[in-house]
Amino acid sequence: MFYSYDDNFFNNLNKPKIQPPKWIFKYVWSLLFILMGISFVIIIFQKNSLTKYVAVIIFFIQLLLNLYWTKVFFIEHNLKKAFSIAISLTIIVLIMILYFFNISILAGAIQIPYLLWLIFACILNKMIINLNT
């Protein structure tokens, strides 16, 4: 499910001034995936409940949306569709955080940087659309 893509597409896009350097993304996403994993483990080891099962399902939905955004943006080069997915992903992550908070305050709090990064990513995605269409 991991995709390889040609850097030329991204490199040739007009990017906003707030675009971080390319190397930052690798470190930010690595940290965010580590935090996702930690919070997921916290949730998994909580007592069984309907809330826990829904939270786990939402976790996997957001993970799939995250991977789908990458495919749509970098492989399909569909900036507008990617933006729609980014908005959906951000909403799903907010819902996931609320469920996680209901189960474990720590698991929910660990996801706040992810939500903030997604909001920033939505802004970047929209700015890239505006600069390239």
Side-chain angles (χ1 to χ4, degrees):
M1 179 155 272
F2 292 96
Y3 310 104
S4 66
Y5 60 90
D6 184 1
D7 277 344
N8 286 332
F9 168 73
F10 185 74
N11 291 339
N12 291 324
L13 287 172
N14 295 315
K15 294 173 208 66
K17 291 182 180 12
I18 65 168
Q19 176 81 26
K22 191 175 170 183
W23 62 268
I24 296 262
F25 289 89
K26 166 177 39 174
Y27 295 105
V28 169
W29 278 109
S30 295
L31 176 62
L32 293 175
F33 277 108
I34 289 167
L35 293 175
M36 274 187 244
I38 291 168
S39 67
F40 183 73
V41 168
I42 292 169
I43 295 300
I44 287 297
F45 284 104
Q46 300 301 311
K47 67 179 181 149
N48 290 334
S49 69
L50 180 59
T51 303
K52 174 184 169 179
Y53 294 127
V54 172
V56 168
I57 291 168
I58 294 171
F59 177 87
F60 283 109
I61 290 170
Q62 69 80 26
L63 195 57
L64 290 172
L65 276 174
N66 189 312
L67 294 171
Y68 188 51
W69 180 91
T70 302
K71 178 183 182 286
V72 169
F73 190 94
F74 289 106
I75 307 296
E76 296 177 13
H77 305 162
N78 190 331
L79 302 175
K80 290 179 181 176
K81 184 177 176 183
F83 179 66
S84 296
I85 294 165
I87 295 292
S88 299
L89 174 59
T90 303
I91 292 166
I92 292 292
V93 167
L94 176 60
I95 294 167
M96 179 187 75
I97 289 170
L98 295 173
Y99 270 87
F100 278 24
F101 266 125
N102 197 352
I103 299 165
S104 162
I105 292 172
L106 179 59
I110 288 173
Q111 292 306 302
I112 291 173
Y114 182 31
L115 179 64
L116 295 174
W117 183 257
L118 289 175
I119 292 167
F120 179 64
C122 286
I123 293 166
L124 282 178
N125 197 153
K126 180 62 174 153
M127 293 175 87
I128 290 171
I129 290 169
N130 293 344
L131 290 170
N132 290 280
T133 55

